[in-house]
Amino acid sequence: LRLTPSAFDGDRGTWGIVLAQTYFLRGDRERARIYADSARIAYEQLLATIPNDAQRRAFYALALALMGRKAEAEAEGERAVTLLPASQDNYIGSYLQHQLARIYALTGKQDKAMDQLESLLKMNYYLSPAWLRIDPNFAPLKSNPRFERLIAAK
């Protein structure tokens, strides 16, 4: 929590999103929003010059979700996945889909999050039912029957 942007090679977007996620998981929603806004500003500047950078667009979407800007977050996350789908690049595309699932979980769209997760578990990707059981990013889904069935699998 004491790291400065210099620890991230001066990348204020990455610095902001890392701290936003950390504070969010610690339950400090106010600090999470502040750092998410810092990330949002940095990503907007980057995306103005490289609008088709799918990974940065996904992080921008995550920042918006952490700020509570749900509709914008979902639209940007979906755009990121469209820019580089898993069918085109299994490594990065799957990661983007993973981020979209997180965004949907944050915005309360449990069915959409589940659609993404079920699809990811069929791919050659590192997510597994065991991973999902312990990943705090998916804690909002724990009451969802689909999620419970998914994480019960071996």
PDB file of all heavy atoms in Angstrom, residues 34-64:
ATOM      1  N   ILE A  34     -11.216   6.100  -4.844  1.00  0.00           N
ATOM      2  CA  ILE A  34     -10.227   7.153  -5.117  1.00  0.00           C
ATOM      3  C   ILE A  34      -9.132   6.633  -6.045  1.00  0.00           C
ATOM      4  O   ILE A  34      -8.784   7.281  -7.044  1.00  0.00           O
ATOM      5  CB  ILE A  34      -9.638   7.693  -3.790  1.00  0.00           C
ATOM      6  CG1 ILE A  34     -10.709   8.480  -3.035  1.00  0.00           C
ATOM      7  CG2 ILE A  34      -8.389   8.540  -4.047  1.00  0.00           C
ATOM      8  CD1 ILE A  34     -10.347   8.798  -1.592  1.00  0.00           C
ATOM      9  N   TYR A  35      -8.584   5.467  -5.727  1.00  0.00           N
ATOM     10  CA  TYR A  35      -7.522   4.914  -6.572  1.00  0.00           C
ATOM     11  C   TYR A  35      -8.061   4.443  -7.920  1.00  0.00           C
ATOM     12  O   TYR A  35      -7.375   4.548  -8.943  1.00  0.00           O
ATOM     13  CB  TYR A  35      -6.761   3.804  -5.842  1.00  0.00           C
ATOM     14  CG  TYR A  35      -5.798   4.365  -4.831  1.00  0.00           C
ATOM     15  CD1 TYR A  35      -6.099   4.348  -3.472  1.00  0.00           C
ATOM     16  CD2 TYR A  35      -4.603   4.940  -5.231  1.00  0.00           C
ATOM     17  CE1 TYR A  35      -5.224   4.885  -2.533  1.00  0.00           C
ATOM     18  CE2 TYR A  35      -3.727   5.481  -4.307  1.00  0.00           C
ATOM     19  CZ  TYR A  35      -4.040   5.456  -2.963  1.00  0.00           C
ATOM     20  OH  TYR A  35      -3.167   5.999  -2.055  1.00  0.00           O
ATOM     21  N   ALA A  36      -9.292   3.947  -7.940  1.00  0.00           N
ATOM     22  CA  ALA A  36      -9.905   3.557  -9.220  1.00  0.00           C
ATOM     23  C   ALA A  36     -10.058   4.784 -10.112  1.00  0.00           C
ATOM     24  O   ALA A  36      -9.848   4.700 -11.330  1.00  0.00           O
ATOM     25  CB  ALA A  36     -11.251   2.881  -8.977  1.00  0.00           C
ATOM     26  N   ASP A  37     -10.389   5.912  -9.523  1.00  0.00           N
ATOM     27  CA  ASP A  37     -10.516   7.141 -10.313  1.00  0.00           C
ATOM     28  C   ASP A  37      -9.160   7.576 -10.860  1.00  0.00           C
ATOM     29  O   ASP A  37      -9.059   8.024 -11.998  1.00  0.00           O
ATOM     30  CB  ASP A  37     -11.153   8.258  -9.483  1.00  0.00           C
ATOM     31  CG  ASP A  37     -11.577   9.432 -10.343  1.00  0.00           C
ATOM     32  OD1 ASP A  37     -12.163   9.205 -11.428  1.00  0.00           O
ATOM     33  OD2 ASP A  37     -11.324  10.584  -9.941  1.00  0.00           O
ATOM     34  N   SER A  38      -8.111   7.416 -10.075  1.00  0.00           N
ATOM     35  CA  SER A  38      -6.758   7.715 -10.579  1.00  0.00           C
ATOM     36  C   SER A  38      -6.425   6.810 -11.756  1.00  0.00           C
ATOM     37  O   SER A  38      -5.864   7.269 -12.765  1.00  0.00           O
ATOM     38  CB  SER A  38      -5.715   7.528  -9.470  1.00  0.00           C
ATOM     39  OG  SER A  38      -5.885   8.476  -8.459  1.00  0.00           O
ATOM     40  N   ALA A  39      -6.762   5.530 -11.631  1.00  0.00           N
ATOM     41  CA  ALA A  39      -6.523   4.588 -12.723  1.00  0.00           C
ATOM     42  C   ALA A  39      -7.344   4.978 -13.949  1.00  0.00           C
ATOM     43  O   ALA A  39      -6.842   4.967 -15.081  1.00  0.00           O
ATOM     44  CB  ALA A  39      -6.863   3.170 -12.283  1.00  0.00           C
ATOM     45  N   ARG A  40      -8.607   5.330 -13.723  1.00  0.00           N
ATOM     46  CA  ARG A  40      -9.493   5.717 -14.833  1.00  0.00           C
ATOM     47  C   ARG A  40      -8.892   6.863 -15.632  1.00  0.00           C
ATOM     48  O   ARG A  40      -8.836   6.816 -16.861  1.00  0.00           O
ATOM     49  CB  ARG A  40     -10.863   6.134 -14.289  1.00  0.00           C
ATOM     50  CG  ARG A  40     -11.809   6.640 -15.377  1.00  0.00           C
ATOM     51  CD  ARG A  40     -12.992   7.395 -14.799  1.00  0.00           C
ATOM     52  NE  ARG A  40     -12.633   8.567 -14.019  1.00  0.00           N
ATOM     53  CZ  ARG A  40     -12.329   9.772 -14.523  1.00  0.00           C
ATOM     54  NH1 ARG A  40     -12.307   9.962 -15.821  1.00  0.00           N
ATOM     55  NH2 ARG A  40     -12.022  10.772 -13.723  1.00  0.00           N
ATOM     56  N   ILE A  41      -8.428   7.874 -14.937  1.00  0.00           N
ATOM     57  CA  ILE A  41      -7.844   9.042 -15.614  1.00  0.00           C
ATOM     58  C   ILE A  41      -6.634   8.628 -16.447  1.00  0.00           C
ATOM     59  O   ILE A  41      -6.503   9.014 -17.614  1.00  0.00           O
ATOM     60  CB  ILE A  41      -7.476  10.126 -14.579  1.00  0.00           C
ATOM     61  CG1 ILE A  41      -8.752  10.710 -13.967  1.00  0.00           C
ATOM     62  CG2 ILE A  41      -6.607  11.215 -15.210  1.00  0.00           C
ATOM     63  CD1 ILE A  41      -8.512  11.524 -12.702  1.00  0.00           C
ATOM     64  N   ALA A  42      -5.750   7.826 -15.860  1.00  0.00           N
ATOM     65  CA  ALA A  42      -4.553   7.387 -16.579  1.00  0.00           C
ATOM     66  C   ALA A  42      -4.927   6.534 -17.794  1.00  0.00           C
ATOM     67  O   ALA A  42      -4.349   6.704 -18.877  1.00  0.00           O
ATOM     68  CB  ALA A  42      -3.638   6.606 -15.641  1.00  0.00           C
ATOM     69  N   TYR A  43      -5.882   5.618 -17.627  1.00  0.00           N
ATOM     70  CA  TYR A  43      -6.277   4.770 -18.746  1.00  0.00           C
ATOM     71  C   TYR A  43      -6.989   5.561 -19.839  1.00  0.00           C
ATOM     72  O   TYR A  43      -6.802   5.288 -21.028  1.00  0.00           O
ATOM     73  CB  TYR A  43      -7.132   3.594 -18.279  1.00  0.00           C
ATOM     74  CG  TYR A  43      -6.332   2.545 -17.538  1.00  0.00           C
ATOM     75  CD1 TYR A  43      -6.738   2.073 -16.306  1.00  0.00           C
ATOM     76  CD2 TYR A  43      -5.143   2.037 -18.069  1.00  0.00           C
ATOM     77  CE1 TYR A  43      -5.991   1.119 -15.619  1.00  0.00           C
ATOM     78  CE2 TYR A  43      -4.395   1.100 -17.395  1.00  0.00           C
ATOM     79  CZ  TYR A  43      -4.827   0.642 -16.167  1.00  0.00           C
ATOM     80  OH  TYR A  43      -4.084  -0.292 -15.499  1.00  0.00           O
ATOM     81  N   GLU A  44      -7.782   6.548 -19.467  1.00  0.00           N
ATOM     82  CA  GLU A  44      -8.422   7.387 -20.485  1.00  0.00           C
ATOM     83  C   GLU A  44      -7.372   8.088 -21.340  1.00  0.00           C
ATOM     84  O   GLU A  44      -7.523   8.193 -22.559  1.00  0.00           O
ATOM     85  CB  GLU A  44      -9.352   8.413 -19.846  1.00  0.00           C
ATOM     86  CG  GLU A  44     -10.681   7.837 -19.445  1.00  0.00           C
ATOM     87  CD  GLU A  44     -11.602   8.844 -18.769  1.00  0.00           C
ATOM     88  OE1 GLU A  44     -11.176   9.985 -18.461  1.00  0.00           O
ATOM     89  OE2 GLU A  44     -12.763   8.469 -18.522  1.00  0.00           O
ATOM     90  N   GLN A  45      -6.307   8.568 -20.697  1.00  0.00           N
ATOM     91  CA  GLN A  45      -5.240   9.240 -21.444  1.00  0.00           C
ATOM     92  C   GLN A  45      -4.556   8.271 -22.398  1.00  0.00           C
ATOM     93  O   GLN A  45      -4.291   8.601 -23.552  1.00  0.00           O
ATOM     94  CB  GLN A  45      -4.238   9.861 -20.484  1.00  0.00           C
ATOM     95  CG  GLN A  45      -4.804  11.026 -19.710  1.00  0.00           C
ATOM     96  CD  GLN A  45      -3.912  11.500 -18.577  1.00  0.00           C
ATOM     97  OE1 GLN A  45      -2.918  10.860 -18.244  1.00  0.00           O
ATOM     98  NE2 GLN A  45      -4.260  12.630 -17.984  1.00  0.00           N
ATOM     99  N   LEU A  46      -4.272   7.059 -21.920  1.00  0.00           N
ATOM    100  CA  LEU A  46      -3.634   6.055 -22.777  1.00  0.00           C
ATOM    101  C   LEU A  46      -4.546   5.634 -23.918  1.00  0.00           C
ATOM    102  O   LEU A  46      -4.110   5.509 -25.067  1.00  0.00           O
ATOM    103  CB  LEU A  46      -3.247   4.815 -21.963  1.00  0.00           C
ATOM    104  CG  LEU A  46      -2.000   4.919 -21.117  1.00  0.00           C
ATOM    105  CD1 LEU A  46      -1.912   3.748 -20.145  1.00  0.00           C
ATOM    106  CD2 LEU A  46      -0.771   4.962 -22.004  1.00  0.00           C
ATOM    107  N   LEU A  47      -5.809   5.410 -23.600  1.00  0.00           N
ATOM    108  CA  LEU A  47      -6.749   4.935 -24.618  1.00  0.00           C
ATOM    109  C   LEU A  47      -7.064   6.001 -25.662  1.00  0.00           C
ATOM    110  O   LEU A  47      -7.500   5.668 -26.765  1.00  0.00           O
ATOM    111  CB  LEU A  47      -8.020   4.408 -23.961  1.00  0.00           C
ATOM    112  CG  LEU A  47      -7.827   3.111 -23.180  1.00  0.00           C
ATOM    113  CD1 LEU A  47      -9.049   2.799 -22.325  1.00  0.00           C
ATOM    114  CD2 LEU A  47      -7.499   1.947 -24.108  1.00  0.00           C
ATOM    115  N   ALA A  48      -6.814   7.253 -25.340  1.00  0.00           N
ATOM    116  CA  ALA A  48      -6.993   8.318 -26.328  1.00  0.00           C
ATOM    117  C   ALA A  48      -5.991   8.165 -27.469  1.00  0.00           C
ATOM    118  O   ALA A  48      -6.280   8.524 -28.610  1.00  0.00           O
ATOM    119  CB  ALA A  48      -6.856   9.688 -25.678  1.00  0.00           C
ATOM    120  N   THR A  49      -4.813   7.593 -27.145  1.00  0.00           N
ATOM    121  CA  THR A  49      -3.786   7.422 -28.177  1.00  0.00           C
ATOM    122  C   THR A  49      -3.755   6.002 -28.740  1.00  0.00           C
ATOM    123  O   THR A  49      -3.339   5.813 -29.879  1.00  0.00           O
ATOM    124  CB  THR A  49      -2.383   7.773 -27.627  1.00  0.00           C
ATOM    125  OG1 THR A  49      -2.096   6.933 -26.513  1.00  0.00           O
ATOM    126  CG2 THR A  49      -2.319   9.224 -27.201  1.00  0.00           C
ATOM    127  N   ILE A  50      -4.170   5.013 -27.944  1.00  0.00           N
ATOM    128  CA  ILE A  50      -4.197   3.620 -28.415  1.00  0.00           C
ATOM    129  C   ILE A  50      -5.551   2.992 -28.041  1.00  0.00           C
ATOM    130  O   ILE A  50      -5.644   2.168 -27.144  1.00  0.00           O
ATOM    131  CB  ILE A  50      -3.018   2.795 -27.842  1.00  0.00           C
ATOM    132  CG1 ILE A  50      -2.846   3.033 -26.334  1.00  0.00           C
ATOM    133  CG2 ILE A  50      -1.736   3.042 -28.587  1.00  0.00           C
ATOM    134  CD1 ILE A  50      -1.843   2.117 -25.667  1.00  0.00           C
ATOM    135  N   PRO A  51      -6.614   3.395 -28.755  1.00  0.00           N
ATOM    136  CA  PRO A  51      -7.971   2.990 -28.383  1.00  0.00           C
ATOM    137  C   PRO A  51      -8.247   1.497 -28.477  1.00  0.00           C
ATOM    138  O   PRO A  51      -9.176   1.004 -27.837  1.00  0.00           O
ATOM    139  CB  PRO A  51      -8.860   3.780 -29.340  1.00  0.00           C
ATOM    140  CG  PRO A  51      -7.981   4.114 -30.491  1.00  0.00           C
ATOM    141  CD  PRO A  51      -6.599   4.250 -29.931  1.00  0.00           C
ATOM    142  N   ASN A  52      -7.473   0.777 -29.239  1.00  0.00           N
ATOM    143  CA  ASN A  52      -7.731  -0.654 -29.411  1.00  0.00           C
ATOM    144  C   ASN A  52      -6.853  -1.542 -28.536  1.00  0.00           C
ATOM    145  O   ASN A  52      -6.709  -2.733 -28.808  1.00  0.00           O
ATOM    146  CB  ASN A  52      -7.592  -1.048 -30.879  1.00  0.00           C
ATOM    147  CG  ASN A  52      -8.690  -0.427 -31.716  1.00  0.00           C
ATOM    148  OD1 ASN A  52      -9.800  -0.206 -31.248  1.00  0.00           O
ATOM    149  ND2 ASN A  52      -8.371  -0.115 -32.961  1.00  0.00           N
ATOM    150  N   ASP A  53      -6.277  -0.977 -27.490  1.00  0.00           N
ATOM    151  CA  ASP A  53      -5.501  -1.763 -26.534  1.00  0.00           C
ATOM    152  C   ASP A  53      -6.496  -2.471 -25.621  1.00  0.00           C
ATOM    153  O   ASP A  53      -7.022  -1.898 -24.665  1.00  0.00           O
ATOM    154  CB  ASP A  53      -4.568  -0.855 -25.733  1.00  0.00           C
ATOM    155  CG  ASP A  53      -3.645  -1.630 -24.808  1.00  0.00           C
ATOM    156  OD1 ASP A  53      -4.082  -2.635 -24.207  1.00  0.00           O
ATOM    157  OD2 ASP A  53      -2.481  -1.213 -24.661  1.00  0.00           O
ATOM    158  N   ALA A  54      -6.765  -3.714 -25.936  1.00  0.00           N
ATOM    159  CA  ALA A  54      -7.819  -4.468 -25.252  1.00  0.00           C
ATOM    160  C   ALA A  54      -7.541  -4.649 -23.761  1.00  0.00           C
ATOM    161  O   ALA A  54      -8.457  -4.534 -22.936  1.00  0.00           O
ATOM    162  CB  ALA A  54      -7.995  -5.831 -25.923  1.00  0.00           C
ATOM    163  N   GLN A  55      -6.303  -4.909 -23.398  1.00  0.00           N
ATOM    164  CA  GLN A  55      -5.990  -5.152 -21.996  1.00  0.00           C
ATOM    165  C   GLN A  55      -6.160  -3.877 -21.166  1.00  0.00           C
ATOM    166  O   GLN A  55      -6.756  -3.908 -20.086  1.00  0.00           O
ATOM    167  CB  GLN A  55      -4.577  -5.702 -21.850  1.00  0.00           C
ATOM    168  CG  GLN A  55      -4.304  -6.195 -20.447  1.00  0.00           C
ATOM    169  CD  GLN A  55      -3.054  -7.059 -20.371  1.00  0.00           C
ATOM    170  OE1 GLN A  55      -2.568  -7.570 -21.377  1.00  0.00           O
ATOM    171  NE2 GLN A  55      -2.536  -7.233 -19.187  1.00  0.00           N
ATOM    172  N   ARG A  56      -5.673  -2.772 -21.665  1.00  0.00           N
ATOM    173  CA  ARG A  56      -5.851  -1.520 -20.918  1.00  0.00           C
ATOM    174  C   ARG A  56      -7.325  -1.124 -20.871  1.00  0.00           C
ATOM    175  O   ARG A  56      -7.792  -0.574 -19.893  1.00  0.00           O
ATOM    176  CB  ARG A  56      -4.996  -0.420 -21.520  1.00  0.00           C
ATOM    177  CG  ARG A  56      -3.526  -0.618 -21.146  1.00  0.00           C
ATOM    178  CD  ARG A  56      -2.716   0.635 -21.360  1.00  0.00           C
ATOM    179  NE  ARG A  56      -1.375   0.454 -20.865  1.00  0.00           N
ATOM    180  CZ  ARG A  56      -0.341   0.098 -21.614  1.00  0.00           C
ATOM    181  NH1 ARG A  56      -0.502  -0.147 -22.895  1.00  0.00           N
ATOM    182  NH2 ARG A  56       0.859  -0.025 -21.082  1.00  0.00           N
ATOM    183  N   ARG A  57      -8.065  -1.438 -21.925  1.00  0.00           N
ATOM    184  CA  ARG A  57      -9.492  -1.148 -21.916  1.00  0.00           C
ATOM    185  C   ARG A  57     -10.190  -1.982 -20.840  1.00  0.00           C
ATOM    186  O   ARG A  57     -11.090  -1.509 -20.160  1.00  0.00           O
ATOM    187  CB  ARG A  57     -10.103  -1.409 -23.294  1.00  0.00           C
ATOM    188  CG  ARG A  57     -11.542  -0.917 -23.351  1.00  0.00           C
ATOM    189  CD  ARG A  57     -11.999  -0.600 -24.749  1.00  0.00           C
ATOM    190  NE  ARG A  57     -11.257   0.426 -25.438  1.00  0.00           N
ATOM    191  CZ  ARG A  57     -11.410   1.748 -25.275  1.00  0.00           C
ATOM    192  NH1 ARG A  57     -12.279   2.200 -24.402  1.00  0.00           N
ATOM    193  NH2 ARG A  57     -10.707   2.594 -25.987  1.00  0.00           N
ATOM    194  N   ALA A  58      -9.769  -3.224 -20.652  1.00  0.00           N
ATOM    195  CA  ALA A  58     -10.356  -4.069 -19.605  1.00  0.00           C
ATOM    196  C   ALA A  58     -10.037  -3.501 -18.224  1.00  0.00           C
ATOM    197  O   ALA A  58     -10.901  -3.484 -17.338  1.00  0.00           O
ATOM    198  CB  ALA A  58      -9.842  -5.495 -19.726  1.00  0.00           C
ATOM    199  N   PHE A  59      -8.822  -3.018 -18.028  1.00  0.00           N
ATOM    200  CA  PHE A  59      -8.467  -2.416 -16.743  1.00  0.00           C
ATOM    201  C   PHE A  59      -9.239  -1.113 -16.516  1.00  0.00           C
ATOM    202  O   PHE A  59      -9.639  -0.798 -15.394  1.00  0.00           O
ATOM    203  CB  PHE A  59      -6.966  -2.172 -16.636  1.00  0.00           C
ATOM    204  CG  PHE A  59      -6.148  -3.432 -16.615  1.00  0.00           C
ATOM    205  CD1 PHE A  59      -4.888  -3.454 -17.169  1.00  0.00           C
ATOM    206  CD2 PHE A  59      -6.630  -4.602 -16.051  1.00  0.00           C
ATOM    207  CE1 PHE A  59      -4.113  -4.607 -17.152  1.00  0.00           C
ATOM    208  CE2 PHE A  59      -5.873  -5.764 -16.033  1.00  0.00           C
ATOM    209  CZ  PHE A  59      -4.615  -5.765 -16.582  1.00  0.00           C
ATOM    210  N   TYR A  60      -9.451  -0.376 -17.581  1.00  0.00           N
ATOM    211  CA  TYR A  60     -10.264   0.845 -17.512  1.00  0.00           C
ATOM    212  C   TYR A  60     -11.683   0.467 -17.071  1.00  0.00           C
ATOM    213  O   TYR A  60     -12.261   1.103 -16.185  1.00  0.00           O
ATOM    214  CB  TYR A  60     -10.259   1.517 -18.888  1.00  0.00           C
ATOM    215  CG  TYR A  60     -11.190   2.683 -19.046  1.00  0.00           C
ATOM    216  CD1 TYR A  60     -11.051   3.832 -18.264  1.00  0.00           C
ATOM    217  CD2 TYR A  60     -12.196   2.667 -20.004  1.00  0.00           C
ATOM    218  CE1 TYR A  60     -11.897   4.918 -18.437  1.00  0.00           C
ATOM    219  CE2 TYR A  60     -13.040   3.747 -20.181  1.00  0.00           C
ATOM    220  CZ  TYR A  60     -12.893   4.868 -19.390  1.00  0.00           C
ATOM    221  OH  TYR A  60     -13.728   5.946 -19.560  1.00  0.00           O
ATOM    222  N   ALA A  61     -12.211  -0.582 -17.660  1.00  0.00           N
ATOM    223  CA  ALA A  61     -13.551  -1.059 -17.301  1.00  0.00           C
ATOM    224  C   ALA A  61     -13.597  -1.492 -15.837  1.00  0.00           C
ATOM    225  O   ALA A  61     -14.569  -1.209 -15.133  1.00  0.00           O
ATOM    226  CB  ALA A  61     -13.953  -2.215 -18.218  1.00  0.00           C
ATOM    227  N   LEU A  62     -12.569  -2.165 -15.381  1.00  0.00           N
ATOM    228  CA  LEU A  62     -12.507  -2.589 -13.987  1.00  0.00           C
ATOM    229  C   LEU A  62     -12.487  -1.372 -13.054  1.00  0.00           C
ATOM    230  O   LEU A  62     -13.172  -1.357 -12.024  1.00  0.00           O
ATOM    231  CB  LEU A  62     -11.276  -3.469 -13.762  1.00  0.00           C
ATOM    232  CG  LEU A  62     -11.123  -4.114 -12.396  1.00  0.00           C
ATOM    233  CD1 LEU A  62     -12.328  -4.975 -12.044  1.00  0.00           C
ATOM    234  CD2 LEU A  62      -9.848  -4.947 -12.377  1.00  0.00           C
ATOM    235  N   ALA A  63     -11.738  -0.344 -13.433  1.00  0.00           N
ATOM    236  CA  ALA A  63     -11.717   0.887 -12.636  1.00  0.00           C
ATOM    237  C   ALA A  63     -13.122   1.492 -12.565  1.00  0.00           C
ATOM    238  O   ALA A  63     -13.579   1.893 -11.489  1.00  0.00           O
ATOM    239  CB  ALA A  63     -10.724   1.893 -13.224  1.00  0.00           C
ATOM    240  N   LEU A  64     -13.812   1.535 -13.692  1.00  0.00           N
ATOM    241  CA  LEU A  64     -15.175   2.068 -13.701  1.00  0.00           C
ATOM    242  C   LEU A  64     -16.095   1.244 -12.796  1.00  0.00           C
ATOM    243  O   LEU A  64     -16.916   1.802 -12.063  1.00  0.00           O
ATOM    244  CB  LEU A  64     -15.726   2.081 -15.133  1.00  0.00           C
ATOM    245  CG  LEU A  64     -15.071   3.062 -16.098  1.00  0.00           C
ATOM    246  CD1 LEU A  64     -15.516   2.788 -17.524  1.00  0.00           C
ATOM    247  CD2 LEU A  64     -15.371   4.503 -15.704  1.00  0.00           C
TER     248      LEU A  64
END
